[in-house]
Amino acid sequence: SSREHKLNFKKSKEVCLSYIQDAMLQKQWKRAAEFLTFYVESLEKDYSTQYMGPSEMIWRIGTEILCHHSHSSMKEFNSFIEQMKTLGVKRYLKVCLEHTFHLLCNGLIDEAYQNLSLAESWRFGEQTVIQDKEMKLIQAYKGLLDYYSWSKQKNILLEHDQDGFEDLSVEQEMHSCFRKAAVNLKEIIKIPGVWDLFVKCYVDLLEFYGDHDEARQVLNEYAYNSKFPANPNAHVYLYHFLKRHGESKKSLISALKILHDIVPSHELMIDFNTMLQKSRKRKKRRLGLEVIFAGLDYAGWKENVKAWSCLARQVKQIVISEKHLDWIKQEWSSRKDWWPAFHFSRYLAKRNWQENESLSHEKALVAGILLGKDCKYFKYVSHQGCKAQVKRFRILKKFVNKHNPVYLRICG
Amino acid sequence: MEFPAALFPSYFGAGPPREEGGPAPAAGWGERGQVLEAGTAFVPRRGGTGESWEPADAAAVPLLPPNASCWVPSLAPHDILYRGDLRRKLPVGRSGAALDFTKQLGHFFVDHPEDAFGSLGQLLHKNFYLGNSKLKRRARDSTIRMTALMEEIHRLEARRGCPRRHLASRLRWFSHICRDWLFEVPLGLLADCVHEELLLQWAGLLFDDSATGGALAWLPPENAGARAGRLVYPGGQAMNRLYFQDVVLEELPRAQGSPAQFELNGRIRQVAAARVDREDFVGIRSDYHCGVWRVPGRSGAAPTPLQVIRTGTPASCLTVSPHLPGELAVCTQSGAVYLWSVETGLQRLRHDPQTMFFRDHSPWRWSDFTAHPRVLSCADRTGLQCLDTRAPERCHFDLFKVGEEAGCQQGERVVLPMYLGRAHPSQHLVTTQFSVYVLDERLPLVPVLKWSHMMKSPPLFAHLSTGGPGRSQKVLLGTSSTQELLLLQYQGGGLSACQLSGIPQKLHSIAGCLQHLPAQLPHRHRLLQQRLGAPAAGLAAALQEDGPRESLLVFQLSEAGDIFCQRLTHEAAQPPPPVSGDEAPAAPGSSPLFEAPASDKEEEEEEEEEEQTFYLSNVEVIINEEEEEEEVGTPEEAERPQDRCSSPLPAPSVPSPTAALRYRRWVKALSEGRGDPLRSAWLPTLSQKRLFTRRDLQGPAGPTVAQDRARERLREAMRERGRVRRWDPPAPPPPAPWQPPEEGGSADALSARLTAAWCGDWGQWWEERTSCGVARRQQALRERRRRQKRARGRRSLSASFASSLTYQSELSELSDPDPPPPSPRRPPAGSPPPPEGALLSSQTLRCRGIPKERQKTLRDYLAVWAEGPPDPPEPPGSQASQLCIPSSQSQLSSASQPRRKRPRMGF
């Protein structure tokens, strides 16, 4: 009978939980809250060895309800979370972290900082791997908040500087913030992960104090350590850092080249292309053509006027100089079976003409060169352009007609 | 393409998943995930504010008439699991299920005796004797009498489940002797096959991935403002017919015109669609065939089939390229991935029966398109890879791995990947049985968004509904067996990092509408429950912008082929008017079943009367009193379905009148559907068309003298508002085991009746039994007539004759001086046909099962009709069907067409 009783208890627990779930998914917070008060009883006989016990569920559900319930206040929320923190030792750090997030999202920075400090000083036996990770995150967020107060004080100081008087106490406080922030931020970014926020702050700190070597090392590590995910932002930060410090074109290009290999559709590729086009070296210009072709392969670039004008400019240059037509030929050979349908269909001609005249102009030029003057896209756009008596379209038509033989050489 | 300037912090580890776990019921709640500074404030990864989409209806509403077919309910666990005392003794295997193997084998022998014992049966049938008489001496030499053995078997059957049954020695002896040679197929071989099949079926019951992707697609109108689109779905008995149906988006969407249909060579598993350059390409996957159709953008243009391919092993995936016209990706269960171009044919990109990242037994493969038109994503249960079709061997990268990289749990598997190109060109959705992930191609392996969806079974269907700039992307997830539907919102991916916004929201499931259907008898209720509870087979949604108001129409397809829809409205919009009075008139040929009524209010009133009303327009007599009584009952009283997610709602909201009407029509159409299992349980609806032909009613050519006289008297009586006396001697009460109205329903009543019947004066018993009921009814009718009369005021008789039917029935009620012998509610199907000449006697009508209060109406009506219009119209039944049955949608017979409302003055 006791077994039966246990079974019944388990069953009613499950049913109660499903009611709560149902109510929450239909945004009936009040009803969910009522059921939750019953569900709390399940804590009394929590024999479960399940992955997620009732106490965790109560924390999760309760938090969610208090976030959305119309009658809940921050005070209630805090007191609920404080109770939850005592409910499970294993979960303490996680609950603290989530509590901090909630406070931060509600603009309560100081409370969040206090909360993080408390959590940081918490010790309980041996830490599991997950707890270790959570602790690191807590420290990192604390470092982040330190960084924000540092930058606040920095701004005050800069203002004072303009006014022409010094404030030692502010400066001292600023330095102490720097130290606290730097220590914590430095720790987390050693571990593989996505730490855009922390890396940016740390580099900012280092740059302010003139430690460029350390900053460069941090960014290099973040971008090139193979244990870290292939995060485009890591390369972007490095590129911007190098640019800020007036590094050579060569190192900028090599940074962008790696970004190009990871994300050929990144917006920086247009800068990259312009940079390469300006180069005097043939190899770089060749790479520039590759880069812009590769970018335009992507659906997200279909209507990118800048990219199309880059391509049009470079193609025009090559056609006029009649040198390196083989570059175009080579790029085109892997695209000629699908670019016409992807970029140069009659429907797109119509739409581009209606929506963006300059886009259709650039595209028509490329289409006219690559596909000849009989291609649908070029024919439609140049016809419409001439009909509307826009000068540049007449020039375009003349140019394409003049260089039509190029098309035969490209596709031949 | 912009990439977010900063992403949410996360750890990145490599290797197999470390986190132990399983389905956790509340895992998706209460977490913010991480925060990120955006401008001046912190934003959470989860829990930001989203758009509010409120359901407009109380439950999902049928969009189309029920898929007319004798739907065979899909396999249920109790069909193949062992039940009985043996179960406890059987060791519980790894699957934890004991399959009832002997039962299936037995079924085979009974269902296919020819295949099982054909030749030996033929050889031996002379030597086996099954009769009761004794064998003749001469025959005894070569013939065995099997009767005793048969009896033994029957006895065994009767004791099924009895723990104390023992095999009779005779049976044991027989099976021992025959086991080796009696069976056509060697028993061991057959048993192996049956067992293998059972295991397959059981695996399918646990998780069936054949419907992944869903077999429902919505082709939106060319310009966003239009209110009509096209729905592509399978139907028919075997779900092998493909329909392209125009649908008008109104308060409740409705079908317009008849669908274009194609009959295919197998059950349709998946319908995938994508729009390229204003043309829709629709890919259809069945097990061994895949086909592609092109649907031109302009409305009304017919879809054209382009190409079909056949696969050796079942195909598991078909997706249509959103970039290039006529390109599709196909995967088969042998592990092959193909790029299929209508122009250039198939290109095999990969053929690997092994899974990608670790070993998994599932042969399921999936492939979809990416931001680069030449790069395809390939998936199996362990993860996703991207392949460049130009060099598939060399150029590939891992997009998603079930492992520590994405923070997966142990045992987690990919269920459905989907390219979210319409939301952001480089985003992908991946669902597993525990979580849903959003991935960005530019940052492979690290999900930009992750959330535990907490659904009870793995989501097999997903649909993306994009919002404009600054709006959230809406993702619908659907499961098959539990019919769950979940709406998620997220934003970001371009300038800002991806965030889950708003609260996930549960939408109505098909089974949820059961409580709003008209109340049914228990057995019908069960059948309906079964039908509505059929696993979902597809999901689609249409976004409708109507000025400031925005709504999302969600369509759900069930395995039985029924399509239900529900509307969600955006909160910023004004609430929809409860009843729209001025619905656009239906286009000719639109489905009559769900045609919007001219006026809802009027419709409602009519509906209430419907069952008692004598339909002049269609000349259908509906004897459906039981149903009427039931339908009057409020829907709230109906028993709540025992579905998986039932919970006591605070107050079940009531469906709108139009929705309620649809429910009723849907149920009616379902019950009337040809060969429908419900049908046999649905006797009380009798159509007059089936009762008598028109010739029957007219009698022999030209009115006979008796009829003339009868009519004369009838008219006279009506003029005088007098009484009509019977002009035929009453026939003996029809002998039949009539069903008396069960009032007390006690055993005493039954025994009294039986006793009476035994004694022979059953008729008298009947009289006594019903007289009180009749008196009460009369009283009620009179009351109502008085009320209505007051309300109606004065009216000429002829007008009221045509316009008010209740009045007619009351009239007859009044004019009957003495109530005739009470009529049975349901005559037996085989009641003797009335003599030809004796037309319209109340007795005959009664014999034909027309209740007393309607008899006179019928008589009157016929009388007027005979002399009424000089040129008699077509039989009304056929007229009605001509008017309202769209040609190719006429799966319902004309007899089962629902009554169409027309002005009754028309006659």
Side-chain angles (χ1 to χ4, degrees), chain A residues 56-98:
Chain A
E56 178 164 358
M57 287 188 208
I58 289 170
W59 162 57
R60 286 178 178 278
I61 292 169
T63 311
E64 194 74 40
I65 291 174
L66 284 172
C67 280
H68 297 104
H69 201 291
S70 49
H71 296 307
S72 78
S73 65
M74 204 63 206
K75 205 174 144 198
E76 272 175 344
F77 187 87
N78 287 341
S79 75
F80 174 77
I81 293 290
E82 288 309 323
Q83 282 180 45
M84 287 301 115
K85 281 178 190 169
T86 59
L87 214 57
V89 174
K90 278 189 188 165
R91 228 179 12 259
Y92 179 83
L93 291 175
K94 186 164 177 97
V95 176
C96 282
L97 205 53
E98 288 294 333

Side-chain angles (χ1 to χ4, degrees), chain B residues 492-503:
Chain B
L495 282 171
S496 59
C498 245
Q499 284 170 268
L500 199 67
S501 48
I503 310 137

Side-chain angles (χ1 to χ4, degrees), chain B residues 652-669:
Chain B
S653 41
V654 182
S656 69
T658 6
L661 184 63
R662 271 203 190 182
Y663 288 134
R664 247 174 289 177
R665 288 183 175 175
W666 190 83
V667 169
K668 200 154 273 176

Side-chain angles (χ1 to χ4, degrees), chain A residues 17 19 21-22 25 31 51 60 64 98 101-102 133 136 141 148 192-194 196 233 237 265 297 299 301 345, chain B residues 1 4-5 7 9-12 19-20 25 27 29-34 37 46 277 371-373 506 647-648:
Chain A
L17 188 66
Y19 287 173
Q21 197 87 312
D22 236 42
L25 286 171
R31 200 160 76 93
Y51 154 67
R60 286 178 178 278
E64 194 74 40
E98 288 294 333
F101 294 156
H102 187 82
K133 279 184 172 177
K136 288 254 163 58
Y141 273 106
Y148 287 131
V194 178
D196 291 0
N233 278 342
Y237 297 158
S265 63
D297 279 351
W301 281 42
S345 69
Chain B
M1 278 190 290
L7 299 165
S10 70
Y11 280 101
F12 179 80
E19 196 182 337
E20 282 177 41
W29 300 121
E31 260 187 60
R32 297 278 180 163
Q34 300 285 337
E37 195 214 5
R46 204 188 84 65
D277 288 3
H372 193 300
K506 187 174 144 180
S647 65

